[in-house]
Amino acid sequence: MEILETEKLFSVEKPLLKPISDHSENKTKARRIAVVSILLQPFQWLQMLCSRLNPSFVLGVVLVYGLNQGFSGSIFKVVTDYYWKDVQQVQPSVVQLYMGLYYIPWVMRPIWGLFTDVFPIRGYKRKPYFVASGVLGLVSAIAIVVLGKLPAAFALSCLLGVSAAMAIAEVVIDACIATNSINIRSLAPDIQSLCVVCSSAGALVGNATSGVFVHRLGPQVEFPPYLSRMLNIGALGVLALPPATIILLGFFINEKRSSTVLIQKNKKDTDGVGVAVKGMYKTIKYPQVWKPSLYMFISLALNISTHEGYFYWYTDPTAGPAFSQEFVGIIYAIGALASMVGVLIYHKKLKGYSFRNILFFAQLLYGFSGMLDLIFIKRWNLNLGIPDSFFVITEESFSRIISKIRWIPMIVLSTRLCPLGIEGTFFALLMCIDSVGQLASKWSGGFVLHAFGVTRHEFGNLWLVILLRNVLRFTTLCFIFLVPDSDHLDDIVPSDVKEPEDDDDTKLLLL
């Protein structure tokens, strides 16, 4: 019996240890599976959003933030930078003033939000305003293409029309975002991550191609008249594509038609405006609302913009490194790619932390990132043996990552402050506060550039302007106590604000 058991023990066909080749094959398969899993994660994430939200809403975010804001906005930024510098030959401080005017339609966002909440058209609160914004942007872009070279004032009016179309479309989709963020609270960070990813991806494509457009259309390049006109039509015609897609979005986005019979019988539209204004006034009085709103304004206003002076310097052939137009587009494109990295870092690692902790450390790093501009202006990077091109790309990437980590929590926090029923109007009000902060940043930056004598060809005091900007960034940390020490799952606004008032006016408005 013992002999048979011994024979069975030694007659086992399978080896106790697998060959080394089998181990290596298993490791290779595991790596392939891991790579495929990583590649499929974005698609699985989008599928999850489409299943829990409406697919047309996700498509709307992609079109508005990706194509309309990211792609078209990046081309708009680069082209206008070179337009005012090379064509109009305007001083950088004056360009800061013109750039500030682009924010006027964005400052008016509460008005656009009020229209979408209080003045439904045929029972729809979002669809008609998508169509209206698309038509405005399309007409403004076509006017630039068809009329050719325009006087500065008329060209500025057309560019303001394009900017207004972007602002209105974003207000409408933001109202949808605020509604979904309130109804499905756990998805609020994911929705904002989707917005920033789409915006950064669109900006990546737009910035990568904008340098080529500017080079082909630059005033220093001579083309035959017929070829120059074709190039102008082809390049500027790109700005007409995003508004056209917004028009289509207005027809296809899913929105339930609401009944307006009681409103038409019992209340005038002006009464609805009064109810909305009353709701906004009641909400903004709460410390839980006005304190973080004040911080968002301060953080933007104190970050004075030195973009135009910095841009004029690093494209100057004598004082600066004289970056080419294509390379400027590459810098912005890599910055857009870095923005997506910032979104990924926030989405994977930071969204569970409190708003105060994230914004404190993000603002601290944002101040340190500004010191890289100072090193570049003083050309200390050359003393360290770091080429200008490598240093500016590194600086742009680091700055963009920190900017997105700093920006997303503020937007998520804004969606958490909106009361139901007037979420479109109130979110637009919060975004208006941000736009006023950005407007103050542009105009105060222009004033500082002018006060320090920074001109088209004089950059001796530009480093002082950069230093002042960095000091103000660190000063913002003194106001971090205004931000609530809570995360995106906590209740921030009192329940009596979140729930509509039990009166006839509010019931009619919500109906």
Side-chain angles (χ1 to χ4, degrees), residues 130-275:
F130 276 127
V131 176
S133 66
V135 171
L136 175 61
L138 186 63
V139 171
S140 300
I142 290 177
I144 299 176
V145 173
V146 174
L147 299 179
K149 188 175 181 179
L150 299 172
F154 193 79
L156 181 61
S157 300
C158 293
L159 294 176
L160 283 174
V162 175
S163 180
M166 294 181 186
I168 296 172
E170 186 173 323
V171 165
V172 181
I173 198 66
D174 281 346
C176 302
I177 290 171
T179 303
N180 286 316
S181 298
I182 294 171
N183 294 333
I184 311 178
R185 186 181 303 179
S186 61
L187 288 183
D190 295 87
I191 295 173
Q192 292 303 325
S193 297
L194 175 64
C195 295
V196 181
V197 165
C198 293
S199 178
S200 300
L204 174 62
V205 178
N207 287 318
T209 57
S210 60
V212 178
F213 287 140
V214 173
H215 176 73
R216 294 300 180 186
L217 301 174
Q220 74 280 8
V221 182
E222 295 292 336
F223 289 106
Y226 69 92
L227 182 58
S228 178
R229 182 170 180 80
M230 288 176 61
L231 288 171
N232 275 280
I233 292 175
L236 296 175
V238 175
L239 294 177
L241 176 62
T245 61
I246 298 301
I247 295 175
L248 296 177
L249 176 64
F251 287 103
F252 291 106
I253 193 169
N254 183 49
E255 181 186 4
K256 292 183 179 179
R257 187 175 183 179
S258 59
S259 174
T260 58
V261 176
L262 291 179
I263 295 178
Q264 293 173 355
K265 286 184 178 180
N266 299 290
K267 291 290 178 181
K268 296 182 180 180
D269 289 335
T270 53
D271 294 331
V273 174
V275 173

Side-chain angles (χ1 to χ4, degrees), residues 66-67 69-80 82 199-218 231 234-239 241-242 324-337:
L67 189 61
Q69 186 191 82
F71 177 76
S72 181
S74 59
I75 290 181
F76 183 85
K77 174 185 176 183
V78 176
V79 169
T80 54
Y82 276 102
S199 178
S200 300
L204 174 62
V205 178
N207 287 318
T209 57
S210 60
V212 178
F213 287 140
V214 173
H215 176 73
R216 294 300 180 186
L217 301 174
L231 288 171
L236 296 175
V238 175
L239 294 177
L241 176 62
S324 66
Q325 295 154 343
E326 291 90 343
F327 187 72
V328 170
I330 292 174
I331 294 173
Y332 292 156
I334 294 176
L337 186 62

Side-chain angles (χ1 to χ4, degrees), residues 299-300 359 362-363 366 402-410:
S299 65
L300 293 170
L359 290 175
Q363 186 66 34
Y366 194 53
I402 300 303
S403 295
K404 289 305 175 186
I405 294 176
R406 170 176 168 263
W407 176 248
I408 297 177
M410 291 196 288

